[in-house]
Amino acid sequence: DAGVTQSPTHLIKTRGQQVTLRCSPKSGHDTVSWYQQALGQGPQFIFQYYEEEERQRGNFPDRFSGHQFPNYSSELNVNALLLGDSALYLCASSQYNEQFFGPGTRLTVL
Amino acid sequence: DQQVKQNSPSLSVQEGRISILNCDYTNSMFDYFLWYKKYPAEGPTFLISISSIKDKNEDGRFTVFLNKSAKHLSLHIVPSQPGDSAVYFCAASPYGGATNKLIFGTGTLLAVQP
C-alpha cells in the first residue's frame, strides 16, 4: 500500500500565477482533505471532498478551489497566487476513524 | 483565533525519562482529540486519540490524558527514545471523529537526548 501520495514535491511560482497540486488517497479511502501549513504553524484545514463534492470548507478565499475525481484522487487549485500562499500543502485521506497524511507539496511564491 | 494552543514551542528530554507535551483548547464543543507526530519532509503521522467521554487512553509508551473542565490535554511518552524526536501536533475535531475537519495547534518540537 503506497499510502497517500502527492505531486509535485516542490514548486516555485511567481505572484499572480495559478497552481495545481495533486493527491492520490490511500487505497480504499474515499474522502480527501487539504490543509495548508505555513512556517511555524500547524496545518490549517482548507476543504474536504467526498463523492466528488466539497463537503466542508475552512476559512480560505475562493481563490482556493478543488476537485475530486471518480477514482477518489483530488486536485487543489490556487489562483492569483500571493506571497502569503507560500506553505506546505498537505493532503489527507480518511476512512472509518483516522486521517492519513501525505508528505506534502512545498509551494514557494516569489 | 487559535482554538487549539500548544504553548511550548520546544521540549528537551533525556533518553529514558518521561516526555510531557501539553495542549489547551478553547471550544467546549470539541469532542475528539488527536496527537500527530511529524518528522521533517514527511506528513503528520497519527499517534493516539481520545474521545471526550474518556479521561485517559493508553497505547504502549504513549498515554493521552484529557481534563475537560480545564480544557486541557497532555501526551505522556514513557520512556522517551531518541527516535521520538519530532514535532508533535495536538488536534481537535469539532464535528466528531477523526475523519472530518481537524483543528491543529502550532506544534511542540521534542528533542530526546541520548
Side-chain angles (χ1 to χ4, degrees):
Chain A
D1 184 1
V4 180
T5 60
Q6 293 186 242
S7 63
T9 306
H10 296 88
L11 203 51
I12 299 174
K13 293 284 188 179
T14 56
R15 279 178 297 175
Q17 285 190 312
Q18 178 264 344
V19 69
T20 297
L21 310 182
R22 295 176 176 82
C23 171
S24 291
K26 189 174 169 65
S27 177
H29 285 191
D30 57 8
T31 303
V32 173
S33 301
W34 286 91
Y35 291 80
Q36 179 196 65
Q37 186 181 7
L39 198 61
Q41 301 296 315
Q44 285 198 48
F45 178 80
I46 303 175
F47 43 53
Q48 183 180 81
Y49 277 84
Y50 171 71
E51 291 189 345
E52 303 180 52
E53 297 283 334
E54 183 181 290
R55 184 161 71 171
Q56 298 176 45
R57 190 176 181 93
N59 189 25
F60 279 80
D62 292 344
R63 298 186 297 109
F64 290 77
S65 63
H67 188 78
Q68 185 178 36
F69 298 94
N71 67 352
Y72 306 131
S73 67
S74 177
E75 287 182 350
L76 164 65
N77 300 291
V78 187
N79 294 323
L81 284 166
L82 303 173
L83 295 180
D85 295 331
S86 294
L88 179 68
Y89 288 85
L90 295 162
C91 171
S93 70
S94 52
Q95 193 181 45
Y96 306 126
N97 204 29
E98 198 165 337
Q99 279 198 46
F100 291 85
F101 284 82
T105 293
R106 172 72 61 188
L107 172 65
T108 301
V109 182
L110 302 176
Chain B
D1 178 24
Q2 191 72 24
Q3 297 188 69
V4 177
K5 301 176 185 178
Q6 294 177 257
N7 292 318
S8 297
S10 63
L11 175 68
S12 183
V13 170
Q14 285 296 119
E15 181 179 3
R17 307 294 289 267
I18 184 171
S19 295
I20 300 176
L21 295 97
N22 294 303
C23 177
D24 297 294
Y25 60 96
T26 58
N27 191 336
S28 57
M29 298 300 292
F30 291 160
D31 65 355
Y32 197 79
F33 303 89
L34 308 92
W35 285 93
Y36 280 84
K37 177 171 73 173
K38 188 178 186 300
Y39 293 117
E42 295 183 12
T45 303
F46 171 75
L47 205 53
I48 192 168
S49 62
I50 188 166
S51 165
S52 61
I53 62 173
K54 295 186 175 182
D55 55 17
K56 177 182 174 181
N57 188 25
E58 235 175 314
D59 184 1
R61 297 186 297 114
F62 303 92
T63 303
V64 55
F65 295 91
L66 175 62
N67 182 334
K68 283 181 292 184
S69 60
K71 297 191 184 70
H72 177 84
L73 63 157
S74 61
L75 173 69
H76 292 210
I77 306 174
V78 184
S80 301
Q81 300 173 354
D84 296 329
S85 298
V87 177
Y88 288 78
F89 291 101
C90 168
S93 173
Y95 303 122
T99 58
N100 295 308
K101 169 184 177 179
L102 297 179
I103 298 175
F104 284 84
T106 52
T108 296
L109 175 62
L110 173 65
V112 180
Q113 310 296 334

